[in-house]
Amino acid sequence: MYEPNVVGDWQEYDGHAGLRVRVHRLEPAEPPRGRDDAAEGLTYFRIRVTVENRGTRSFGVHLEDGQIDVRIGPDGEGAFVDWRNSQFIEGYDVYPLRRVTAVLYAAGPESSLSQVDVQVQLRVDDEWTDRRMWTGGIGAHEESVAAGAACAGAQGGLVHQISNFLRDQAEPGTAG
């Protein structure tokens, strides 16, 4: 079964040696050029998607609108994505030991932002990669929950479950 990444994790692509991507800095933020009227009453947040080349050759990378899908809340409803204020990666050559970052502004009801899923599908050298998913939340703080502690309510529940699962898998001597 395919397991989602936690926001902040790097995901490497098998078909493109040294190329990896991550979704990170999922945080509340206002867009730089003002709010879109369609987002009236919604809470804005920012997502950064970074592509890094640790290989020996350059890759032509595309990460544009339609290649990033943002879902929020327990039902996975689509977030409002502010395409006008977002900054994408459009045909950029990522040389070895270099990075490039896309910044996406989205919005949704504040009550749904404790669970945010981001799905990314890169186009590398005019070939589509497999889709990858990251999960996280706004206002969910893993540091404040002790390992193995039960999560009360929906506040960060999925994030805590994934973090605990990954922590259990990484600990030496854990049965598995």
Side-chain angles (χ1 to χ4, degrees):
M1 182 173 125
Y2 176 73
E3 301 269 340
N5 298 293
V6 175
V7 168
D9 287 350
W10 287 100
Q11 175 66 53
E12 297 192 23
Y13 286 101
D14 296 332
H16 304 284
L19 191 67
R20 63 187 196 157
V21 66
R22 76 175 171 163
V23 172
H24 58 109
R25 288 200 191 157
L26 179 59
E27 60 194 358
E30 288 295 321
R33 294 180 291 267
R35 297 176 63 91
D36 188 309
D37 292 340
E40 186 69 34
L42 301 177
T43 301
Y44 262 91
F45 58 98
R46 175 177 48 219
I47 302 165
R48 292 182 184 266
V49 180
T50 298
V51 179
E52 181 179 66
N53 184 356
R54 304 187 100 192
T56 58
R57 70 173 195 87
S58 65
F59 294 102
V61 175
H62 301 271
L63 185 57
E64 302 167 332
D65 57 339
Q67 292 175 252
I68 302 173
D69 190 17
V70 181
R71 300 285 167 168
I72 57 175
D75 293 328
E77 293 181 16
F80 169 77
V81 178
D82 190 340
W83 302 115
R84 184 189 69 189
N85 283 308
S86 298
Q87 303 158 1
F88 298 99
I89 303 167
E90 300 178 23
Y92 194 82
D93 291 330
V94 183
Y95 287 90
L97 304 178
R98 297 285 190 241
R99 291 180 176 176
V100 62
T101 300
V103 180
L104 186 77
Y105 288 91
E110 190 169 357
S111 62
S112 297
L113 299 183
S114 63
Q115 184 174 340
V116 178
D117 295 329
V118 181
Q119 193 172 60
V120 175
Q121 184 176 22
L122 285 177
R123 197 170 77 200
V124 179
D125 294 332
D126 294 323
E127 293 178 17
W128 292 100
T129 62
D130 291 335
R131 281 182 270 236
R132 300 285 190 238
M133 190 169 89
W134 284 261
T135 189
I138 308 260
H141 301 286
E142 293 83 18
E143 309 79 56
S144 64
V145 176
C151 297
Q155 179 78 0
L158 181 61
V159 174
H160 293 297
Q161 290 174 23
I162 292 171
S163 294
N164 288 339
F165 171 79
L166 293 172
R167 186 171 26 267
D168 291 344
Q169 295 299 311
E171 289 179 3
T174 301

